[in-house]
Amino acid sequence: MNVGFLRFLAIRGPLKNYALYTVLFSAVWMMSCSPERNTWTSKAYHNTTAHFNGYWYANEEIRKIEKTILDAQVDDYNRILRLFPTFDTAMASGYDKEIQEAIKMASLAIQRHPNSKWVDDAYILVGKARHYSLDWGNAIQTFKHVNSKSKDKDARHLAIINLIRTYVEHKEYNNAQAAIDYLAKAKLSKLNEKKFLLEKAYFYQELKDYDNMVRNLSAADKMLKKKDHRGRIYFILGQVYQELGFEAEAYNYYKKCLGTNPEYEVDFYARLYMAQVTEISRSRDINSARKSFRKLLKDSKNKEFHDKIYYEMGIFELKQKNLNEAIANFKQSVRRGNNSRIDGEAFLRLGEIYYDTLKDYRLSQAYYDSAINSLPPDYENYAAIKTRQEVLNEFVTHLNTIEWQDSLLKLSSMDTALIRARVESVVNERKKEEEARAKKRKRNRVEITTQENISIFDNGSDNTETVDWYFGNPSAMAIGQNEFTRIWGTIRLEDNWRRSSRETGPQIAQSNVPSDSVSTAAAEGGAETAAEDPVAAEYDRLVQQIPKTDADKQAAYDKIEEAYVKLGDIYYFKLKENQNAAETYIRLLSRFPETEHEPEVLYTLYLIHKDSAQAEAEKYASLLTSKYPQSTYAKILENPDYLHESGLAVEKQKVFYKKAYEDFGVKNYIGAVNAIEEGLALGETTFTPNLKLLRVLIIGQTEDISKYQFELEQFIKAHETNTLAAYAKKLLDTSRQFQQAEEKRRGIQYVASFDEPHYFVVVHRRKDKIESLITSSLEAFNSRNFQNSALKTSNLILNEDYGITFVADLSGKSAAVDYFKTFIEKRSSITPLGNYNFHNFVITKNNFDIFYRTKGLDEYLQFFEKNYQAQNQ
């Protein structure tokens, strides 16, 4: 062999071997890709491919979805921020493409690489995708599948953590608590421990259990990373501690929040609330806090937050009991604001100050009125705020009636020249005030006018707070509109609407003025002059309302008398102001000694004083029994049960019932409930069940169907002998039929997952009354045939017709089927049950939950026939 040939072999030999090795290696590698193989090469291939293909892309889609939800969240910094953002079906439809892509890619990782270590993680991504698409049932089943099938304890724990979130979002709080209790006993990885603490905190936030919420967030503090939005969590911790009254801790967490360089809005509110919770022990500290507020105001970046800064300054001054400063800051908040919610809260605080501290109910009414117009209906305690506003509206109405009718009676004794002079003085003074306000040209947006009418007998007291723009304040507009209607009536919008010479004159409400008492201004100078001259217009308005005849004057006195009675009642029954109530009643008796309301007033004065001034109480009791011995109130003094026995309470309750039913008919549920409560306050009578049933009907309109059915059940139990019980039962049956029809319309779907604990169930007719018989027979059967299985027997009521007796803790499908077959084979030997008909079957724990909730007996019997009996024939 020559040297050249040898040299050729030396070159070609390695090349041929390299190609051969490459082919052989590729063949071995392709063989290792089979999902059935369990070699190290197969594991490496499937782990790598599953992770960086299916799982990675699915996880990216989930991240996009979570970013979309987070970006859409609108935070309300007036409340404790949500730990996790909300989402709904409308939002879910916007990221449906990402949902489907995430499920698709995760499913590929599961199906093509079943032996990889990323299968459990892929299943969890599928569960999260279904969670974010609000497919709660499948999300729950997916997480449960991971928990029951996975060999990786961290994956099982992570699945339960996600299951907790799904339960919370679906408001299944009992199931969420059970999952939390289970996981609390497990030893978790650091990452899962952090996630578990955050999920628990969110669970407690939804329950408004802020104490446990803050405990879990504090425990998670040291584990938080930047990607966990640490700044936001620290801010929430500060808010919760502030809510709980731990202001030092709140300050520390607001400070920690600033240390994370959060987004600007969080940064601003953290600084704002830091000033609010600064520990105040010396005047220097107070000045330091005020300086912090002023610094925030001076920062040009905070211009859009001035309303919130002033609001918090008002809260701060209120805590220091500086009412004047607090009031001034709340007013500035409204004037500087562009946020109706903050406006509403500022109005509310002003209303509370004037109500609770200053006892100026007229001003309080105006602020409460504006608060209700500004706050959203879902505001905390909105119903209570609305109730107080309505009470104050009624109070001010009666107060204005007294003042206005007194003014008109005084005018009736004056000559026209003096009246015109007074009117001119008032109009000119008002004109000067309007001109002065116009010159200020401030940015003020509200005007609160507490006087319904400008009285020409104004004593100079300033009960009016005004700023520039009348039409910026709904309260002032409402007062003006009511006053216009009261004086002019309901008239068409047209030219010369005030002229007395029009063919169809204005219908003057509540004036009681005879037809010949028309405006003297129209007769003397013509209607055109009155329309152009504000003095003449005001004079014309007053003249039409001034009582001229004895009958007109008596009508005015009657209105004043009735208003005093109503005012006293409001003071005593609604505002709980005993002293003011007593003074109002005494003033009534002084001005109207012959009033027909004297018996009622004397009795109320007795009630006011009986616990605090016994001598005064005895005085009023003596007057009542001596002057009106046959009156109802005198008889109540002698016999506290008189109302119940006489039936007078029934008649009063009927009046309240009528009012409540009318409010119910127009969906004024708050007014209806208030009327019902007033009726119930009269005591228990034969008519009381009517009021209580109407209250249940209101619950049916305002709360969920379960609460409605529960209240109906309670009513039926409490009033079994009452004829209304039959009607309530009919309502309950109708509601349940509707609920069942809805369940069937949506379709009852049982889950074909059998590798879990089972129950053996006996469904029997309740009218047979064999619950105890079945229980004892099954316990005897268990002791004879399954004494080593530690089985438990329990009872439940399924519905009105059927009861359930079930045997728990059958370990799985095979054990359940074995139990079922043994029972069928030996049923004939269970003598006590031979004479009765009942259904019996086995069912998984999860399907039992569905069955008990939906009452779908027929549907489950079909499911049982298909999945248990058919497979064992």
Side-chain angles (χ1 to χ4, degrees):
M1 186 178 293
N2 60 41
V3 175
F5 181 71
L6 290 174
R7 229 174 246 171
F8 174 77
L9 287 178
I11 296 172
R12 293 285 294 169
L15 290 176
K16 287 183 178 181
N17 291 340
Y18 177 78
L20 180 62
Y21 293 152
T22 300
V23 171
L24 288 173
F25 179 78
S26 299
V28 171
W29 180 258
M30 292 299 292
M31 290 175 64
S32 72
C33 293
S34 172
E36 287 77 21
R37 298 178 66 85
N38 198 31
T39 62
W40 70 268
T41 53
S42 176
K43 289 181 179 179
Y45 169 78
H46 287 292
N47 285 336
T48 302
T49 309
H51 181 202
F52 292 105
N53 283 338
Y55 173 82
W56 190 88
Y57 284 111
N59 195 43
E60 286 300 302
E61 297 300 327
I62 294 295
R63 286 182 178 179
K64 289 180 188 176
I65 294 166
E66 292 174 338
K67 185 177 185 304
T68 299
I69 295 172
L70 185 62
D71 291 344
Q73 178 71 14
V74 179
D75 288 320
D76 178 6
Y77 289 88
N78 300 302
R79 296 180 175 181
I80 295 173
L81 298 187
R82 292 178 60 86
L83 199 55
F84 297 119
T86 59
F87 54 95
D88 53 28
T89 52
M91 189 184 298
S93 63
Y95 51 69
D96 183 66
K97 179 181 177 182
E98 287 80 4
I99 291 286
Q100 301 306 323
E101 186 67 16
I103 293 175
K104 173 186 173 183
M105 299 309 297
S107 299
L108 287 176
I110 295 168
Q111 294 165 5
R112 296 184 180 179
H113 312 287
N115 291 330
S116 79
K117 65 180 182 180
W118 293 95
V119 169
D120 297 334
D121 302 272
Y123 267 117
I124 290 174
L125 290 182
V126 171
K128 292 178 74 172
R130 289 170 171 167
H131 168 90
Y132 288 129
S133 65
L134 284 79
D135 184 2
W136 310 117
N138 283 321
I140 290 169
Q141 290 304 317
T142 304
F143 293 135
K144 284 185 175 181
H145 173 82
V146 177
N147 180 50
S148 61
K149 298 295 184 181
S150 176
K151 298 178 181 179
D152 183 352
K153 69 175 183 178
D154 289 337
R156 294 198 305 272
H157 295 160
L158 183 58
I160 297 176
I161 290 169
N162 283 280
L163 183 62
I164 293 170
R165 170 79 74 85
T166 303
Y167 279 141
V168 172
E169 296 290 4
H170 198 217
K171 303 191 184 306
E172 294 185 31
Y173 298 121
N174 290 336
N175 288 334
Q177 183 66 67
I180 288 171
D181 293 342
Y182 173 81
L183 209 55
K185 301 172 185 176
K187 185 175 182 180
L188 306 178
S189 66
K190 286 187 177 181
L191 179 60
N192 281 342
E193 177 71 18
K194 176 182 69 176
K195 291 181 177 180
F196 179 48
L197 289 170
L198 293 177
E199 292 298 341
K200 282 202 295 180
Y202 181 58
F203 167 73
Y204 289 120
Q205 183 180 31
E206 288 294 291
L207 296 180
K208 299 190 183 304
D209 182 354
Y210 294 129
D211 185 48
N212 278 314
M213 176 188 177
V214 80
R215 291 174 188 270
N216 284 280
L217 285 181
S218 300
D221 183 0
K222 295 181 180 179
M223 308 178 195
L224 297 174
K225 306 295 183 184
K226 185 175 181 180
K227 65 179 181 180
D228 298 316
H229 304 286
R230 281 184 307 170
R232 181 185 178 87
I233 293 176
Y234 290 151
F235 181 83
I236 292 172
L237 271 165
Q239 284 185 300
V240 178
Y241 273 121
Q242 186 175 356
E243 175 74 15
L244 295 175
F246 299 100
E247 296 192 342
E249 287 296 321
Y251 182 91
N252 291 336
Y253 274 106
Y254 286 139
K255 191 172 182 180
K256 288 184 74 171
C257 170
L258 294 176
T260 64
N261 295 318
E263 58 187 36
Y264 181 74
E265 197 168 13
V266 175
D267 182 281
F268 163 76
Y269 279 101
R271 294 180 189 277
L272 181 63
Y273 293 149
M274 276 180 67
Q276 184 65 263
V277 299
T278 300
E279 184 178 356
I280 304 299
S281 57
R282 300 180 301 275
S283 60
R284 185 174 61 186
D285 297 326
I286 296 175
N287 292 330
S288 175
R290 288 172 177 159
K291 185 177 180 180
S292 299
F293 285 123
R294 289 195 294 270
K295 185 177 179 181
L296 288 171
L297 284 172
K298 288 180 180 179
D299 192 334
S300 60
K301 296 192 298 295
N302 296 336
K303 187 175 181 180
E304 64 177 294
F305 300 121
H306 277 190
D307 54 349
K308 182 62 176 176
I309 297 172
Y310 276 114
Y311 175 79
E312 293 298 330
M313 289 172 69
I315 295 293
F316 176 81
E317 297 296 347
L318 195 58
K319 287 165 62 178
Q320 314 311 315
K321 302 188 184 307
N322 299 324
L323 290 186
N324 291 335
E325 290 82 355
I327 290 171
N329 283 316
F330 288 135
K331 290 178 182 176
Q332 282 292 335
S333 173
V334 175
R335 291 167 182 156
R336 300 296 185 91
N338 52 17
N339 184 318
S340 62
R341 189 185 190 95
I342 296 175
D343 288 353
E345 291 195 331
F347 282 133
L348 179 60
R349 299 293 169 257
L350 286 165
E352 290 173 342
I353 290 172
Y354 284 108
Y355 183 97
D356 297 319
T357 307
L358 300 180
K359 306 299 182 184
D360 187 336
Y361 298 120
R362 192 195 293 272
L363 266 179
S364 180
Q365 179 271 337
Y367 284 118
Y368 266 99
D369 202 42
S370 295
I372 285 296
N373 284 322
S374 301
L375 292 173
D378 64 345
Y379 186 78
E380 187 176 4
N381 296 324
Y382 183 88
I385 297 168
K386 178 72 173 173
T387 299
R388 180 173 284 189
Q389 178 235 7
E390 290 172 349
V391 169
L392 289 171
N393 282 349
E394 185 183 358
F395 176 89
V396 171
T397 297
H398 298 311
L399 200 61
N400 287 336
T401 296
I402 293 171
E403 293 182 355
W404 184 243
Q405 295 302 324
D406 273 337
S407 295
L408 293 177
L409 287 167
K410 289 181 181 180
L411 284 172
S412 68
S413 62
M414 298 170 58
D415 61 48
T416 56
L418 185 56
I419 295 173
R420 183 179 286 275
R422 292 283 185 111
V423 169
E424 185 174 4
S425 174
V426 170
V427 170
N428 289 337
E429 184 64 28
R430 187 166 54 188
K431 183 178 179 182
K432 289 179 182 178
E433 292 175 358
E434 290 173 353
E435 290 174 351
R437 288 198 300 270
K439 290 178 182 179
K440 291 180 182 178
R441 299 185 181 279
K442 290 184 178 179
R443 291 182 60 252
N444 303 333
R445 300 183 306 110
V446 295
E447 175 177 359
I448 292 191
T449 304
T450 62
Q451 293 170 309
E452 183 178 348
N453 302 284
I454 303 297
S455 173
I456 65 172
F457 293 98
D458 190 359
N459 59 10
S461 62
D462 185 11
N463 287 331
T464 305
E465 297 179 46
T466 58
V467 289
D468 280 352
W469 200 40
Y470 168 84
F471 292 101
N473 179 19
S475 175
M477 289 177 64
I479 292 172
Q481 184 176 5
N482 291 338
E483 168 64 2
F484 181 91
T485 304
R486 189 183 69 79
I487 296 168
W488 297 102
T490 303
I491 63 173
R492 291 180 298 175
L493 180 62
E494 58 184 356
D495 294 337
N496 301 321
W497 57 270
R498 270 192 310 218
R499 293 181 60 177
S500 60
S501 58
R502 290 185 304 121
E503 292 183 4
T504 305
Q507 300 299 313
I508 302 169
Q510 301 179 7
S511 65
N512 295 309
V513 180
S515 59
D516 59 344
S517 59
V518 294
S519 171
T520 57
E524 295 172 2
E528 294 298 331
T529 304
E532 296 170 1
D533 185 356
V535 175
E538 187 70 15
Y539 175 78
D540 181 53
R541 179 176 78 91
L542 287 173
V543 166
Q544 292 186 60
Q545 297 182 78
I546 294 173
K548 295 178 176 60
T549 67
D550 290 341
D552 293 339
K553 292 177 182 179
Q554 186 57 51
Y557 282 121
D558 289 343
K559 291 177 183 177
I560 294 171
E561 179 183 344
E562 192 65 28
Y564 269 121
V565 174
K566 297 295 185 184
L567 272 182
D569 289 347
I570 293 173
Y571 270 129
Y572 180 62
F573 293 106
K574 297 181 179 179
L575 299 181
K576 309 300 181 184
E577 288 281 340
N578 287 1
Q579 184 62 35
N580 284 331
E583 291 175 1
T584 302
Y585 287 134
I586 293 170
R587 195 177 301 122
L588 167 68
L589 297 177
S590 175
R591 287 195 63 177
F592 304 97
E594 302 299 324
T595 177
E596 63 180 11
H597 299 288
E598 186 174 17
E600 178 184 354
V601 169
L602 289 173
Y603 178 71
T604 308
L605 284 168
Y606 162 78
L607 293 177
I608 290 172
H609 292 101
K610 73 172 185 176
D611 294 327
S612 58
Q614 190 63 35
E616 282 292 301
E618 289 298 330
K619 180 183 77 171
Y620 292 118
S622 178
L623 280 171
L624 176 59
T625 55
S626 62
K627 291 183 69 174
Y628 306 98
Q630 299 303 315
S631 69
T632 301
Y633 297 99
K635 292 178 180 179
I636 292 174
L637 278 177
E638 298 172 359
N639 176 15
D641 294 329
Y642 174 77
L643 275 180
H644 176 68
E645 296 170 359
S646 68
L648 182 59
V650 171
E651 296 305 316
K652 287 193 172 185
Q653 284 184 331
K654 288 180 180 179
V655 174
F656 286 117
Y657 181 88
K658 181 180 178 183
K659 169 68 168 57
Y661 195 84
E662 289 172 353
D663 286 337
F664 175 78
V666 295
K667 299 183 179 181
N668 179 17
Y669 301 124
I670 293 175
V673 169
N674 289 338
I676 290 171
E677 293 303 323
E678 289 190 74
L680 292 175
L682 294 172
E684 192 75 17
T685 71
T686 56
F687 193 79
T688 299
N690 297 69
L691 291 166
K692 291 182 177 179
L693 183 57
L694 182 55
R695 185 168 59 183
V696 175
L697 295 180
I698 293 172
I699 290 173
Q701 296 295 324
T702 57
E703 299 190 36
D704 62 73
I705 193 169
S706 299
K707 174 69 172 173
Y708 173 58
Q709 292 176 354
F710 173 79
E711 291 297 334
L712 283 173
E713 289 174 349
Q714 296 301 110
F715 179 89
I716 294 167
K717 290 178 182 177
H719 304 90
E720 289 180 344
T721 59
N722 194 290
T723 54
L724 287 174
Y727 177 65
K729 189 176 186 305
K730 184 177 179 181
L731 291 175
L732 181 60
D733 292 340
T734 302
S735 176
R736 286 171 171 167
Q737 289 168 10
F738 170 80
Q739 189 178 32
Q740 291 170 3
E742 282 296 293
E743 290 282 1
K744 290 182 179 180
R745 183 180 62 81
R746 290 194 297 265
I748 300 173
Q749 296 183 351
Y750 291 102
V751 181
S753 175
F754 306 109
D755 190 12
E756 56 181 286
H758 278 62
Y759 297 155
F760 173 76
V761 178
V762 176
V763 180
H764 53 87
R765 294 186 180 276
R766 294 180 63 192
K767 67 179 183 180
D768 292 338
K769 299 181 180 180
I770 57 173
E771 179 181 290
S772 300
L773 181 62
I774 293 177
T775 302
S776 59
S777 298
L778 286 176
E779 288 176 346
F781 173 79
N782 293 340
S783 64
R784 288 195 302 270
N785 300 283
F786 298 93
Q787 57 183 352
N788 297 323
S789 298
L791 302 177
K792 299 175 183 177
T793 306
S794 303
N795 294 284
L796 285 173
I797 295 174
L798 180 62
N799 54 33
E800 289 293 319
D801 299 321
Y802 290 102
I804 298 174
T805 302
F806 62 95
V807 177
D809 297 336
L810 297 169
S811 59
K813 182 178 180 180
S814 59
V817 171
D818 181 52
Y819 186 99
F820 176 79
K821 291 171 68 176
T822 304
F823 179 82
I824 296 300
E825 291 170 359
K826 299 188 177 183
R827 176 176 173 176
S828 59
S829 64
I830 307 175
T831 307
L833 301 181
N835 298 325
Y836 298 99
N837 293 319
F838 49 81
H839 300 286
N840 49 272
F841 49 81
V842 292
I843 187 171
T844 64
K845 183 178 182 301
N846 286 330
N847 280 336
F848 182 81
D849 293 339
I850 298 171
F851 165 68
Y852 188 73
R853 186 180 70 253
T854 62
K855 320 299 183 190
L857 176 59
D858 293 337
E859 289 80 2
Y860 186 76
L861 290 175
Q862 294 176 10
F863 180 86
F864 173 72
E865 176 71 23
K866 176 182 177 182
N867 293 280
Y868 289 89
Q869 289 187 306
Q871 296 176 11
N872 290 280
Q873 290 177 351

